[in-house]
């Protein structure tokens, strides 16, 4: 800026006024400054200004995996709202690792993001207390945070999972398998609770061997699906006739495993998939709306940055049962 | 930091050494500083340090649409490499709008990202010249940049598109429709060129009415597909018997349109889709590898940041024809 001032033959304050589009500079002088800027290739450096104003006009987003369709659609929603507020978005993935979530969240805090959106991997977010005490706004999404009072925007897992399970029961199924993510993950736990609740409401017993939770890689899910569809080693447990697959990755892996098997169980998945309607039969799902989840959480965050000091809110977005064929197959 | 120094009864330099994990502080004194930090809730502010060192340990990524599976898988690759280098990732979407690409790229520059990865929406990136002159590293991905010398990492569109088209020709098709993105987009133009090349190599004429390029929304693509599969108004142009769909969004929309039609043309898509193998028939595709694209571009970027001053490189990653059924249907 000193070089620009010297080249234009004006004071530093005048350059600053032109750069920041403030008033008090004559058009002729502003033109001289702009010519000097163009000639010298002056680049505005937001860091200094941001250091002064205290706002970085950026928000941080800690996802599970930026490459997953659920996370990326959620990001799209967050980005749209951030853009409306002239904010840039830092995004990173925790890979479901609590240490990595913490590391990433604190790295974003060190960049002085104005606000932080977190899809929790860990079960304790007390590490954010010094940050929120210093003015950081935090909103959790997809799963609630713990150890800290903050807003959370979630899908109605406790309503969606029973609806999907009840749909299978309504189509004549009595032995229904549940295939889910790691059981300590909030969404998996809630959906499993919903499955049990729907079975209980229908007066159906749940054989614990019908429940398979764990990593969602195709090999693990494939083994679980094959096990659920064959008799147990004791010859007593009859195979299930339907599967409730509790998230998009599980559903995808289960469908891949089923493609190589003779059994045709009914399937209801939690989360919609892009080609779900084009499968034969079409895939019946309990759909979340990750874009609205991202938008809603981002709006809450900007409300907080706009000095909304009301008590923390917990927003639950409805899920929607989409009937396409796979969930309406009768028991074999 | 002054408050911490006062509370610990040490000098500012000592606090700085402890925070930055430099040597020259006794364990006892470091413990005192850390206790003061814990008590005061001191938060490290990277801005000042970054202003001093000149590096922000962050890279920017301008995508087409963070919510699209191609973009999000590409982001996953970039993120993995950025993480290896201790860098955070700023990401934003241009929505295929050149003005928005420029605005986003320059906003990232104003945050002094160390490097910038750009999926170009516009056809002129001369606006980045002052930035690169000041030391910014730039790598283009998926499409080459223009008006600036910089590395580019692309898929082998000129090899993949002829391979997909030739596959349809080898299965007996003579009238093949091309459905693509906006024709000014580099990838679309290259794939169309590849389609024409394969037709020419086989000695087949191309009726210009077989080529449909434009927006990739389902309604537009659906209209194009229905038009290609019916006779023209002059009654002369026979419908095509096969479709080459030139990216993931076009393929998805075309499959949705075909689900409501009696015609069963052969289909080869450019880009793989998540459930492609589970459709009936399975979807034959020319697959790109967006994760490797992202990783390769990010590695090049960090090479440049590591003072690699060799001339700009253009890296082309191979595509892969995956045969699953839809591309092997015979002409009706």
């Amino acid at each position: 800026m000193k070089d620009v001032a010297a080249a234009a033959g004006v004071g530093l304050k005048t350059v600053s006024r032109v750069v920041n589009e403030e008033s008090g500079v004559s058009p002729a002088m502003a033109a001289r400054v702009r010519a000097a800027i163009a000639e010298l290739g002056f680049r505005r450096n937001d860091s200094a200004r941001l250091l002064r104003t205290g706002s970085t006009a950026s928000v941080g987003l800690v996802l599970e995996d930026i490459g997953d369709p659920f996370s990326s659609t959620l990001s799209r929603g967050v980005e749209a709202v951030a853009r409306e507020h002239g904010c840039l978005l830092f995004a990173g993935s925790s890979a479901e690792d609590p240490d990595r979530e913490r590391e990433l969240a604190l790295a974003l805090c060190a960049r002085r993001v104005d606000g932080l959106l977190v899809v929790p991997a860990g079960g304790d977010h007390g590490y954010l207390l010094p940050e929120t005490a210093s003015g950081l706004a935090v909103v959790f999404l997809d799963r609630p945070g713990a150890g800290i009072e903050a807003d959370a925007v979630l899908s109605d897992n406790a309503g969606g999972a029973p609806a999907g399970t009840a749909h299978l029961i309504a189509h004549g199924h009595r032995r229904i398998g549940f295939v889910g993510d790691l059981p300590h993950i909030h969404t998996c736990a809630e959906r499993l609770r919903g499955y049990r609740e729907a079975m209980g409401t229908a007066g159906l017993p749940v054989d614990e061997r019908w429940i398979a939770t764990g990593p969602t890689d195709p090999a693990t899910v494939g083994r679980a699906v094959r096990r659920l569809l064959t008799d147990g080693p004791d010859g007593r447990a009859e195979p299930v006739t339907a599967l409730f697959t509790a998230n998009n990755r599980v559903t995808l892996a289960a469908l891949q495993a089923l493609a190589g098997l003779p059994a045709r169980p009914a399937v209801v998945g939690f989360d919609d998939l892009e080609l779900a309607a084009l499968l034969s039969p079409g895939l019946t799902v309990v759909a979340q709306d990750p874009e609205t989840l991202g938008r809603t959480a981002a709006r809450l965050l900007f409300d907080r940055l706009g000095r909304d000091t009301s008590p923390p809110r917990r927003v639950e977005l409805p899920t929607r049962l989409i009937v396409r064929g796979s969930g309406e197959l009768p028991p074999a």
Side-chain angles (χ1 to χ4, degrees), chain A:
Chain A
M1 278 178 74
K2 277 184 205 158
D3 297 340
V4 171
V10 301
L12 252 181
K13 183 68 202 157
T14 304
V15 177
S16 165
R17 281 189 176 131
V18 172
V19 168
N20 293 313
E21 295 174 38
E22 291 166 13
S23 59
V25 184
S26 74
M29 200 176 272
R32 232 158 71 206
V33 171
R34 285 204 194 89
I37 286 173
E39 196 178 319
L40 293 168
F42 169 81
R43 301 165 70 207
R44 200 173 75 185
N45 185 343
D46 279 0
S47 314
R49 199 166 51 111
L50 299 173
L51 203 59
R52 182 165 49 76
T53 63
S55 161
T56 57
S58 62
V59 294
L61 173 60
V62 179
L63 297 162
E64 187 193 337
D65 169 11
I66 201 170
D68 179 77
F70 179 83
S71 293
S72 71
T73 310
L74 187 151
S75 300
R76 180 197 273 158
V78 171
E79 190 196 10
V81 174
R83 188 175 146 77
E84 285 166 14
H85 288 83
C87 271
L88 288 180
L89 185 63
F90 269 121
S93 309
S94 70
E96 211 60 85
D97 174 347
D99 290 338
R100 192 157 156 189
E101 173 212 297
R102 183 177 185 277
E103 181 196 333
L104 191 53
L106 290 177
L108 292 165
C109 291
R111 304 308 165 91
R112 284 285 197 269
V113 290
D114 298 327
L116 196 58
L117 294 149
V118 181
V119 176
D124 180 11
H125 304 90
Y127 67 85
L128 285 172
L129 286 170
E131 309 292 335
T132 53
S134 309
L136 179 80
V138 176
V139 175
F140 293 102
L141 58 178
D142 188 42
R143 312 164 187 175
I148 184 170
E149 294 280 303
D151 297 315
V153 181
L154 318 170
S155 283
D156 177 21
N157 297 294
T165 310
H167 185 74
L168 291 166
I169 296 169
H171 284 83
H173 296 277
R174 298 292 170 264
R175 299 189 310 278
I176 301 172
F178 177 96
V179 193
D181 214 332
L182 295 165
H184 70 265
I185 296 176
H186 172 81
T187 43
C188 178
E190 284 291 289
R191 292 170 198 170
L192 179 53
R193 200 162 63 84
Y195 157 87
R196 288 187 192 278
E197 181 193 308
M199 295 292 275
T201 302
L204 296 174
V206 172
D207 187 322
E208 292 303 314
R209 287 169 294 189
W210 298 343
I211 295 166
T213 54
T216 59
D217 61 281
T220 305
V221 172
R223 271 195 303 276
V225 166
R226 284 188 293 274
R227 179 177 68 73
L228 288 167
L229 294 172
T230 49
D231 280 316
D234 57 2
R236 276 196 312 134
E238 289 178 280
V240 303
T241 63
L243 296 173
F244 183 68
T245 52
N247 74 27
N248 60 349
R249 288 181 310 283
V250 171
T251 304
L252 185 63
L255 292 177
Q256 281 162 346
L258 289 174
L261 295 175
R264 282 287 159 271
V267 177
V268 171
F270 206 104
D271 286 327
D272 206 1
L273 300 179
E274 212 169 27
L275 290 174
L278 300 177
L279 299 174
S280 314
L283 180 68
T284 294
V285 298
V286 176
Q288 303 188 75
D289 183 348
E291 180 149 353
T292 300
L293 201 66
R295 280 180 184 268
T296 308
R299 285 210 190 92
L300 255 176
L301 188 77
F302 283 104
D303 285 352
R304 295 299 181 186
L305 292 173
R307 306 284 169 262
D308 173 355
T309 55
S310 58
R313 272 168 282 179
R314 178 174 171 138
V315 179
E316 291 208 351
L317 299 178
T319 57
R320 193 162 58 99
L321 182 74
I322 304 177
V323 172
R324 296 195 182 111
S326 71
E328 297 76 57
L329 295 175

